[in-house]
Amino acid sequence: MSEPLLQVKDLTARVEETELLHGVSLDIGAGETHVLMGPNGAGKSTLGYTLMGSPAYKVTGGSIRFDGEDITELSADKRARMGMFLSFQTPLEVPGLSLEAFIRSAIRQKTGKPIKIFQFQKELEATMKLLNMDESFAERDLNVGLSGGEKKKAEILQLLMLRPKFAILDETDSGLDVDAVRTVSAGIEEYQKKRDGALLIITHSTRILESLRVDYTHVLVKGRLVKTGGPELVDEINAHGFEQFEK
């Protein structure tokens, strides 16, 4: 049996002096879609940032392996070059850097190869069309002056253009209206078509999951994984909430 793409074993992590993750273990295989759910303050985003290597989160125990390599001590930029991706719950605004230039630079950093401009622009236009994004957004400063929905679409655009091996989507549906959720969901569905691309979707809602294939669902409560199941666990949470797991 092949080794999982991502292996998290007995992971503990803290911010400053507060421990927020307590012995989390999780395996994600290539091509799998995992959903991480839990009440507010459960540590869902903390796990996402810790997996991505944010310096604000200090690993105090356990290990993270990605694509056969121990990455527990690797910096976020090295993890990104290995094929990891994190979409932010609240994307940062970067004045003076266009969305197109940012994506082009990220691809060049990841691959280490020159970019064929005509091919890149053709693919960018097609992907923006899929996400119902006006082509003019490519020239706008990264996330500056964009609505919440537009920022989330820009994040999914980056996901599709960068084609990471493993993507963490942190509350991608937060603050979106019904139409925006459908569009973002269609973008994620497009990523799922890449057979070896793995996903960890962090959410406390289930709207974005309605048209997506889900392989495993995990419930995180107070920094601990308390339940793992299949897609049927999403229905159970919809019916009964998280109280059953908080006892």
Side-chain angles (χ1 to χ4, degrees), residues 45-189:
S45 294
T46 295
L47 179 58
Y49 282 112
T50 303
L51 293 179
M52 198 64 215
S54 168
Y57 298 84
K58 174 69 175 175
V59 173
T60 55
S63 63
I64 307 169
R65 292 182 64 83
F66 178 69
D67 207 12
E69 182 176 337
D70 189 329
I71 64 167
T72 312
E73 302 299 329
L74 281 189
S75 60
D77 63 307
K78 290 179 180 177
R79 298 185 198 203
R81 282 196 288 270
M82 289 179 68
M84 295 182 69
F85 174 93
L86 170 66
S87 78
F88 296 96
Q89 186 173 347
T90 307
L92 298 174
E93 297 185 1
V94 185
L97 177 66
S98 73
L99 175 59
E100 179 179 346
F102 175 77
I103 294 173
R104 196 167 61 235
S105 175
I107 293 173
R108 191 165 53 243
Q109 288 287 327
K110 181 189 170 197
T111 63
K113 299 175 182 178
I115 291 177
K116 298 177 181 178
I117 298 298
F118 177 76
Q119 182 178 331
F120 167 81
Q121 290 182 332
K122 186 177 179 181
E123 184 178 349
L124 183 66
E125 289 173 8
T127 308
M128 293 183 77
K129 186 175 181 179
L130 172 72
L131 296 172
N132 294 322
M133 296 179 71
D134 191 285
E135 291 180 13
S136 64
F137 278 88
E139 298 304 318
R140 294 182 62 172
D141 288 356
L142 183 63
N143 294 324
V144 175
L146 301 186
S147 69
E150 289 165 344
K151 289 179 180 180
K152 298 301 176 68
K153 286 183 183 181
E155 294 270 287
I156 300 302
L157 176 65
Q158 294 164 43
L159 168 71
L160 294 177
M161 292 296 295
L162 286 167
R163 302 190 191 96
K165 294 178 183 177
F166 172 57
I168 305 163
L169 306 183
D170 186 12
E171 302 284 5
T172 302
D173 54 345
S174 176
L176 301 185
D177 62 27
V178 174
D179 291 334
V181 168
R182 286 200 192 99
T183 300
V184 167
S185 185
I188 299 171
E189 207 172 358

